[in-house]
Amino acid sequence: MIVAAFPGQGSQTPGFLAPWLELDGARRRLEAYAEAAEVDLIAAGTEWDADRIRDTQVAQPLIVAASILSWLALDDTQRARVGGVAGHSVGEIAAAVAAGVISDIDGMRLVGARGRAMAEAASLAETGMSAVVGGVEEQVLASLADAGLQPANFNGGGQIVAAGALDALGALAEAAPRGARVIPLQVAGAFHTSYMAPAADALQAAVDAISDVSDPALPLWTNSDGSRVASGADALALIVRQVQRPVRWDLCMTSFAEAGIAGLVELAPAGALTGLAKRGLRGTPAVALKTPDDLAAAGDLLAVPNS
């Protein structure tokens, strides 16, 4: 089974969308996505600098648009060979689109609303996120609690993302847990923590506005606990809830392994999840779709018999 994985915030880099615009129909599709999300995606993905695309209300639609664009760049036969999908954080919206739960336009409307709501919530306090790599999990979690921080992501392979006040993150970096490194992340708030509670009502309203919701057409795993979601309504409810709860990508990877994963294709802007797979799914072939030049390698992986 091949899993298609959709990345989360922080995966974007300046200009990364430019090569994808060379594909037939890509510019027209992105223009429609930009209107739905209320963000100039083409300028953001080709011209804007790192600070500007770090803005939550820009980064989230930009990432999801790129993920959907690269998913649709696979041909029908290749997509039909994908055995299941999952997204990391905001990538769950792209995964829901790929699974047929919602349309691409509804997905872009939803991510636009999510980005705006989370940006507003983040503006209420000076917060951020840092990856804590290495160390003993129990000791890392104890250090976070002592510093007044919350675990936002359990990424597997010995990586936990801490979130909270910037001064507390700075103190954690100066006194890192034994055997661990603390790496600041290029995000603009303490996502997946209680700091995001103010975003919940706006996100729920955006979900309620979606009239056409279907059950997943292929296996869809949730960040909530790594389980499969059988109902489209449940998938959207979990997306709303997840902005305040930790991302359990570690449990998603455990579920992939239990389901018999034979390979992983990470959609654009790719790299982070294939990196996590090297540690959490050792020996599993993985392809990162960074540019259209990587489509051939993805096609090769998806052509493996019994995938």
Side-chain angles (χ1 to χ4, degrees), residues 109-139:
R109 291 194 184 107
L110 178 57
V111 73
R114 185 184 192 269
R116 291 188 295 274
M118 292 177 71
E120 184 174 349
S123 72
L124 300 176
E126 292 189 353
T127 61
M129 303 172 77
S130 294
V132 183
V133 182
V136 177
E137 182 171 310
E138 292 77 8
Q139 295 176 1

Side-chain angles (χ1 to χ4, degrees), residues 16-17 19-20 70 266-272 274 287-295:
F16 82 93
L17 203 55
W20 292 101
S70 58
E266 182 183 1
L267 285 301
T274 50
V287 172
L289 272 179
K290 296 182 178 182
T291 75
D293 290 342
D294 300 312
L295 287 166

Side-chain angles (χ1 to χ4, degrees), residues 96-277:
V97 171
V101 173
I102 54 178
S103 71
D104 54 352
I105 294 298
D106 281 336
M108 292 308 304
R109 291 194 184 107
L110 178 57
V111 73
R114 185 184 192 269
R116 291 188 295 274
M118 292 177 71
E120 184 174 349
S123 72
L124 300 176
E126 292 189 353
T127 61
M129 303 172 77
S130 294
V132 183
V133 182
V136 177
E137 182 171 310
E138 292 77 8
Q139 295 176 1
V140 170
L141 293 176
S143 294
L144 266 56
D146 290 344
L149 297 167
Q150 300 174 47
N153 301 348
F154 291 79
N155 283 333
Q159 183 186 116
I160 293 174
V161 174
L166 292 179
D167 57 354
L169 290 169
L172 182 71
E174 292 178 3
R178 182 184 298 273
R181 293 179 295 125
V182 178
I183 305 169
L185 300 179
Q186 294 301 306
V187 296
F191 307 133
H192 299 290
T193 70
S194 59
Y195 285 96
M196 290 296 106
D201 288 346
L203 187 53
Q204 185 63 58
V207 165
D208 292 342
I210 300 174
S211 59
D212 189 5
V213 178
S214 302
D215 293 338
L218 70 168
L220 171 66
W221 288 275
T222 171
N223 286 177
S224 179
D225 57 8
S227 63
R228 279 180 56 177
V229 186
S231 158
D234 288 347
L236 294 181
L238 288 167
I239 285 173
V240 173
R241 189 182 76 169
Q242 204 60 33
V243 297
Q244 300 180 60
R245 297 179 180 230
V247 171
R248 294 308 304 258
W249 191 251
D250 57 337
L251 298 181
C252 286
M253 289 195 293
T254 296
S255 293
F256 302 162
E258 291 173 349
I261 187 172
L264 182 142
V265 175
E266 182 183 1
L267 285 301
L273 300 183
T274 50
L276 293 176

